[in-house]
């Protein structure tokens, strides 16, 4: 079937010559019985790219499961069709791109398709951060938006984030309708006619000014503030377009890692440009040591995530997303007196909502991913409530209600100011976290990334999840399980009863059920938890662990989780 699909793909008169030249010898080898070629052809054609937590994402090459111009055209045609039905009054769209290889080419192709479909299209003229593009979508009132980015994946990858008429990444029903519409179009759609190109124009420059002003408005400007020495790295990405200017206008000095300030889609100094991995910080840490910096702040290439590295007992350590989010929330609540509702995810540390409640905030929970947090932000707006803050453990937070995605750019300014605030009190970031936990309570968290690359790995993870779900757990890591949540059925189990899992359990009168997902979460008598979340498409599974006592419990929990999953 995959070989047949590949031949159909090659038969299209609209396939780009470079893609044809790459694919033809591979298909010929597979047809001649080359096993490796057959596996590769199958991987490229057995199914289309699907909308995951971060949109479409794949290796750049020819094929149905790869990122390329035909897939960009096909997806954009489907997005336009759904947007016309879902947001018929809006006549504009926005397309942006990051520093990755071919991102600008794919963005131009997407913009031309939208223009040919009748939209007035705003197209970025240079690589721009995802959060700014999301801000621009809402200010322009677009029917839909597209950002060509693969976030922090290696250089071989690119991706396609699709946004709805509220400037949020598409979720149900948009995502399913887009995938259904894609099936109606040829595997290799015809390129758009040039007549529509006149409807493409740059993103208005005044929106950049508005975005920078928004960032300045988020500052707390504490009395007696003295800036810390901050070194910034954009990991060869888009953050360099805004972060230095933002700090300049704020009057906060900023050192920049010159080696990683160059916008380069090959990521020469950080092959995995992920702020969640300390290995990516090799170049900036060398600069930080030489310059005597207090902290290193990092954005991933599309600048929607933020990472912080600081010294702990004399050694540079990467702060967890859980701790950084909780510390930032406590700082903003203390100095800006935040009010309203905050949003967190079901796999994020309990430290974050406990801090929020400590300061009088209401709390909403949702599934992993800022596209789900955006749903909650829309609900908060619909209820007439005030949005306060949102974050998740994977280094993402949103400090403003003006966007519907995470923002590492504006967060970098607030975090830098926070580091200076604590420095003026004689504390580094880690000392500040310990002081927070001394007030609020101890929370130790760990993310365990599991992979089973053997054939059938994804199936084995699915079977393991089914076994755990069917058997249930009464004890885990030597502790009694007091309750568990099955997000696939939408039910909480505990105290001999069942309840629907809702986004606002403290206010069930206004709460709505959380969407279904293949996630299991078990709470233990000490306040610990273990959550299991498999990938829907890859042989990968994430286990999120929390201990209220010590790291030794995390070790026991990880060991037992691996045993449960057969690893």
């Amino acid at each position: 079937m995959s070989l047949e699909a590949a031949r159909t793909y090659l038969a299209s008169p609209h396939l780009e010559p470079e893609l044809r030249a790459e694919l033809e010898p591979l298909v010929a080898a597979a047809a001649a019985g080359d096993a490796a070629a057959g596996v590769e052809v199958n991987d490229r054609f057995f199914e289309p790219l699907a909308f995951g937590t971060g949109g479409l994402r794949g290796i750049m090459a020819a094929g149905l499961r790869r990122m390329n111009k035909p897939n960009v055209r096909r997806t954009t045609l489907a997005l336009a069709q759904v947007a016309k039905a879902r947001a018929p009054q809006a006549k504009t769209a926005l397309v942006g791109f990051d520093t990755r290889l071919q991102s600008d080419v794919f963005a131009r192709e997407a913009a031309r398709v939208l223009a040919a479909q009748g939209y007035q299209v705003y197209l970025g003229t240079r690589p721009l951060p995802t959060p700014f593009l999301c801000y621009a979508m809402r200010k322009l009132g677009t029917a839909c938006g597209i950002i060509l980015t693969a976030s922090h994946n290696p250089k071989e990858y690119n991706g396609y984030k699709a946004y709805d008429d509220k400037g949020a990444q598409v979720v149900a029903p948009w995502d399913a309708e887009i995938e259904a519409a894609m099936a109606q179009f040829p595997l290799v759609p015809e390129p758009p006619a040039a007549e529509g190109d006149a409807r493409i124009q740059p993103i208005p420059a005044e929106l950049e000014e508005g975005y920078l002003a928004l960032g300045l408005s988020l500052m707390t400007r504490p009395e007696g503030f003295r800036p810390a020495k901050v070194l910034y790295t954009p990991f060869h990405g888009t953050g360099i377009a805004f972060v230095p200017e933002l700090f300049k206008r704020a009057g906060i000095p900023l050192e920049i890692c010159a080696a990683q300030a160059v916008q380069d889609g090959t990521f020469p100094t950080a092959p995995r440009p992920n702020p969640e991995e300390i290995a990516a910080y090799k170049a900036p840490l060398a600069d930080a040591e030489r310059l005597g910096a207090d902290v290193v702040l990092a954005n991933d290439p599309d600048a929607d995530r933020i990472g912080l590295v600081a010294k702990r007992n004399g050694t540079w350590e990467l702060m967890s997303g859980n701790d950084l989010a909780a510390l930032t929330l406590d700082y903003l609540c203390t100095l800006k007196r935040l009010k309203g509702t905050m949003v967190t995810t079901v796999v994020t540390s309990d430290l974050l909502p406990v801090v929020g409640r400590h300061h009088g905030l209401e709390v909403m929970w949702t599934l992993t991913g800022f596209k789900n947090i955006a749903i909650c932000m829309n609900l908060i707006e619909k209820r007439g409530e005030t949005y306060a803050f949102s974050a998740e453990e994977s280094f993402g937070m949103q400090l403003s209600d003006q966007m519907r995605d995470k923002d590492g750019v504006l967060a970098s300014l607030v975090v830098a100011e926070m580091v200076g605030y604590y420095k003026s009190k004689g504390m580094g970031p880690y000392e500040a976290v310990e002081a927070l936990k001394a007030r609020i309570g101890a929370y130790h968290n760990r993310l365990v990334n599991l992979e089973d690359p053997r054939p059938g790995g994804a199936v084995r993870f699915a079977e393991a999840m089914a076994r755990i779900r069917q058997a249930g757990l009464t004890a885990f890591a030597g502790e009694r399980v007091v309750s568990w949540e099955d997000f696939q059925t939408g039910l909480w189990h505990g105290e001999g009863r069942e309840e629907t899992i809702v986004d606002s359990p403290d206010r069930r009168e206004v709460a709505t059920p959380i969407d279904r997902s293949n996630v299991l979460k078990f709470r233990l008598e000490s306040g610990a938890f273990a959550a299991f979340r498999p990938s829907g498409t890859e042989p990968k599974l994430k286990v999120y662990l929390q201990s209220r006592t010590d790291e030794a419990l995390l070790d026991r929990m990880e060991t037992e989780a691996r045993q449960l999953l057969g690893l």
Side-chain angles (χ1 to χ4, degrees):
M1 181 65 181
S2 294
L3 191 57
E4 183 182 333
R7 286 172 173 148
T8 302
Y9 190 86
L10 283 171
S12 170
H14 306 304
L15 184 64
E16 278 68 17
E18 65 273 16
L19 296 178
R20 186 183 305 280
E22 179 218 330
L23 187 60
E24 279 180 338
L26 183 65
V27 171
D34 184 315
V39 169
E40 178 67 15
V41 169
N42 183 65
D43 188 61
R44 293 188 186 204
F45 285 95
F46 81 91
E47 65 180 4
L49 287 177
F51 281 100
T53 304
L56 299 176
R57 199 166 292 178
I59 293 171
M60 291 176 281
L64 197 57
R65 287 188 73 240
R66 297 292 186 266
M67 275 299 297
N68 48 55
K69 275 188 175 183
N71 262 346
V72 168
R73 290 197 294 272
R74 195 166 182 246
T75 307
T76 306
L77 284 167
L79 174 62
Q81 180 173 304
V82 173
K84 287 177 181 178
R86 290 277 168 189
Q89 304 306 314
K91 306 300 181 185
T92 59
L94 182 143
V95 181
F97 58 94
D98 68 2
T99 61
R100 287 181 174 272
L101 303 177
Q102 297 195 71
S103 282
D104 56 344
V105 175
F106 293 156
R108 180 72 184 176
E109 193 78 353
R112 295 187 68 236
V113 170
L114 289 171
Q117 292 296 307
Y119 284 106
Q120 190 73 33
V121 183
Y122 296 98
L123 174 64
T125 55
R126 68 191 197 283
L128 292 166
T130 286
F132 164 71
L133 295 167
C134 294
Y135 169 85
M137 288 177 205
R138 288 181 64 82
K139 290 298 179 182
L140 292 167
T142 54
C144 60
I146 299 166
I147 303 177
L148 279 302
T149 175
S151 189
H152 53 268
N153 280 74
K155 65 182 180 181
E156 295 81 10
Y157 285 78
N158 214 316
Y160 181 114
K161 288 185 177 181
Y163 291 79
D164 63 18
D165 58 326
K166 293 182 174 60
Q169 286 192 63
V170 295
V171 293
W174 281 64
D175 54 358
E177 290 176 359
I178 291 168
E179 290 187 333
M182 286 173 68
Q184 302 170 17
F185 295 106
L187 296 183
V188 183
E190 183 177 0
E195 288 77 13
D197 292 0
R199 286 191 284 271
I200 300 173
Q201 61 182 298
I203 298 171
E206 57 265 28
L207 291 180
E208 296 190 15
E209 289 297 316
Y211 180 70
L212 291 168
L214 174 62
L216 297 177
S217 75
L218 297 173
M219 297 178 70
T220 64
R221 303 188 185 278
E223 196 172 325
F225 169 77
R226 293 194 306 274
K229 193 159 191 176
V230 177
L231 179 81
Y232 171 71
T233 174
F235 285 149
H236 299 290
T238 60
I240 199 70
F242 281 94
V243 172
E245 180 63 23
L246 187 59
F247 274 66
K248 179 181 176 182
R249 296 188 185 194
I252 296 180
L254 184 69
E255 299 284 349
I256 298 171
C257 176
Q260 294 186 341
V262 179
Q263 294 189 330
D264 187 339
T266 66
F267 309 116
T269 69
R272 290 175 58 87
N274 187 349
E276 298 179 69
E277 298 178 5
I278 191 66
Y281 292 84
K282 183 178 179 180
L285 283 177
D287 285 353
E289 198 66 52
R290 176 174 53 83
L291 295 168
D294 295 302
V295 298
V296 174
L297 292 182
N299 291 142
D300 60 343
D302 70 329
D304 59 354
R305 297 173 193 254
I306 179 172
L308 180 148
V309 182
K311 282 192 173 179
R312 185 178 198 176
N313 300 323
T315 302
W316 291 105
E317 286 191 19
L318 176 61
M319 184 173 285
S320 74
N322 286 312
D323 285 352
L324 181 58
L327 188 65
T328 305
L329 175 60
D330 181 67
Y331 171 74
L332 290 171
C333 285
T334 301
L335 273 75
K336 294 202 83 169
R337 301 288 190 265
L338 292 185
K339 301 296 179 187
T341 303
M342 60 160 289
V343 188
T344 184
T345 75
V346 298
V347 299
T348 297
S349 173
D350 287 337
L351 177 60
L352 188 63
V354 168
V355 168
R357 284 172 171 152
H358 175 78
H359 288 285
L361 299 182
E362 301 290 350
V363 181
M364 288 183 74
W365 273 266
T366 189
L367 298 174
T368 304
F370 253 80
K371 65 181 184 180
N372 293 306
I373 288 176
I375 295 173
C376 292
M377 293 178 74
N378 290 334
L379 278 172
I380 291 168
E381 183 178 71
K382 186 177 180 180
R383 292 173 184 171
E385 299 175 1
T386 300
Y387 170 81
F389 183 89
S390 62
E392 60 179 350
E393 51 77 37
S394 55
F395 289 53
M397 62 178 86
Q398 180 52 263
L399 313 183
S400 167
D401 64 354
Q402 299 298 300
M403 287 154 278
R404 293 294 185 267
D405 212 337
K406 53 189 174 287
D407 187 345
V409 174
L410 303 189
S412 68
L413 179 63
V414 172
V415 169
E417 184 187 53
M418 176 180 71
V419 172
Y421 168 79
Y422 282 114
K423 184 179 181 180
S424 69
K425 293 182 173 295
M427 289 188 284
Y430 281 104
E431 288 78 16
V433 168
E434 291 308 312
L436 172 62
K437 291 181 179 180
R439 286 190 289 117
I440 300 296
Y443 292 85
H444 308 276
N445 293 86
R446 180 181 299 174
L447 170 62
V448 182
N449 286 299
L450 301 177
E451 293 190 35
D452 187 352
R454 299 169 295 169
V459 173
R460 277 191 294 278
F461 277 144
E463 291 171 346
M465 289 289 289
R467 285 197 308 273
I468 298 169
R469 180 173 281 114
Q470 186 173 6
L473 291 178
T474 56
F476 188 75
E479 288 196 24
R480 184 170 63 90
V481 173
V482 295
S483 67
W484 63 285
E485 295 163 290
D486 185 347
F487 292 88
Q488 189 161 276
T489 64
L491 292 176
W492 173 91
H493 307 261
E495 303 168 2
R497 57 190 174 87
E498 295 180 350
E499 286 184 354
T500 300
I501 303 172
V502 294
D503 56 14
S504 303
D506 300 335
R507 298 187 297 160
R508 297 190 77 89
E509 70 279 3
V510 298
T512 58
I514 289 179
D515 286 342
R516 306 295 175 86
S517 183
N518 187 15
V519 178
L520 291 169
K521 184 175 182 179
F522 299 88
R523 286 195 174 272
L524 312 184
E525 56 189 340
S526 66
F529 72 66
F532 300 81
R533 176 176 165 258
S535 166
T537 56
E538 298 178 285
K540 297 180 180 180
L541 187 145
K542 291 185 176 183
V543 183
Y544 305 83
L545 303 174
Q546 174 175 288
S547 165
R548 294 296 316 279
T549 54
D550 54 29
E551 296 277 338
L553 177 57
L554 293 179
D555 293 337
R556 296 196 299 275
M557 293 170 77
E558 179 176 346
T559 298
E560 189 154 338
R562 289 179 181 276
Q563 291 171 347
L564 276 172
L565 295 165
L567 292 175

